[in-house]
Amino acid sequence: MLISRQLAAPHGFSSREDWAEAAAGAFTAHQVHGALVADADSLGEGEGLEADGLLTSVPGRRVAVRTADCVPILLHAPDVGAVAAVHAGWRGTIAGIARVAVERLTALRGAAPAQIQAAIGPSIGRCCYEVDEALARRFEERFGPMVVVQGEGRPRLDLAAANRLALLEARVDPARIELLGLCTQCESNRFFSYRREGGSAGRQYSYIAPRSRD
């Protein structure tokens, strides 16, 4: 289980070996590659939900997302005791789901964006994520040229960097953002990768929970 030095709340980014440990007891949603961040505390037990982000302020309650190349983002608002877990594929990234999650923590829980801690977990890296020219242009128009790697062959996207920029747009302190910098496609022994394994790929789970009150 990978742990961020930035987050002062119980959390973890799983590998292909310990995903069940991360998933145990976690509240998850049906992910649809959108930009909806839902309040898990407003839902009944077992109630179905389509969302790509979940937030909670119930001490000890885990919220989690599943990824196999997409970007997992965990957020902790220590000033209000709230957390969020976010799944950001390219569609969610360009729709600004990372910014939306911060805005939801602010609107629903009163969090101060400058106090939010963020960790961006393992995902397909700029080394491997080849896309077509049209999608590369969309990302360059949205986030700037630093998120597109040009060279021989097809352009490549830096999804982690794009999501970091979305967090900065939401006024998260750059000193409070950690990028784990691990590529799911490169590290076949550690991570599932949809690009590498196709439809048979499993999923990593990334979870976070508000700290329990003593």
Side-chain angles (χ1 to χ4, degrees):
M1 194 77 65
L2 296 166
I3 301 298
S4 167
R5 295 167 296 179
Q6 186 63 249
L7 299 173
H11 71 280
F13 296 95
S14 83
S15 68
R16 65 189 302 146
E17 300 297 329
D18 54 12
W19 65 266
E21 177 186 346
F27 191 102
T28 59
H30 176 56
Q31 296 169 185
V32 293
H33 294 271
L36 174 63
V37 178
D39 185 352
D41 300 345
S42 67
L43 300 170
E45 192 68 29
E47 186 174 345
L49 174 70
E50 291 188 349
D52 287 273
L54 292 166
L55 66 86
T56 181
S57 53
V58 175
R61 185 179 199 183
R62 288 187 176 193
V63 288
V65 291
R66 301 175 301 278
T67 58
D69 284 337
C70 295
V71 183
I73 305 167
L74 300 179
L75 304 174
H76 177 217
D79 54 335
V80 294
V83 300
V86 175
H87 159 262
W90 74 258
R91 292 176 180 84
T93 297
I94 208 164
I97 190 171
R99 185 192 71 247
V100 170
V102 173
E103 291 171 348
R104 294 281 282 172
L105 284 170
T106 300
L108 298 181
R109 296 296 188 274
Q115 296 299 312
I116 288 176
Q117 304 159 349
I120 299 174
S123 63
I124 191 167
R126 58 183 287 157
C127 48
C128 295
Y129 191 25
E130 293 185 344
V131 298
D132 60 35
E133 293 285 352
L135 186 57
R137 282 195 299 273
R138 287 180 64 187
F139 267 79
E140 187 167 349
E141 291 168 0
R142 171 65 181 82
F143 295 105
M146 69 288 296
V147 303
V148 178
V149 181
Q150 298 285 1
E152 294 184 6
R154 302 174 74 193
R156 302 189 304 276
L157 292 183
D158 190 337
L159 282 183
N163 281 285
R164 180 180 181 275
L165 289 170
L167 291 171
L168 294 177
E169 290 174 354
R171 296 182 290 117
V172 176
D173 184 344
R176 293 175 179 262
I177 303 172
E178 180 179 4
L179 279 73
L180 271 64
L182 298 170
C183 176
T184 49
Q185 184 164 340
C186 283
E187 301 200 39
S188 58
N189 291 332
R190 297 183 71 184
F191 302 114
F192 298 114
S193 168
Y194 188 86
R195 281 258 171 145
R196 187 182 61 244
E197 301 165 47
S200 65
R203 297 294 186 270
Q204 280 83 232
Y205 277 70
S206 301
Y207 78 89
I208 191 166
R211 298 179 65 88
S212 296
R213 300 187 182 98
D214 297 330

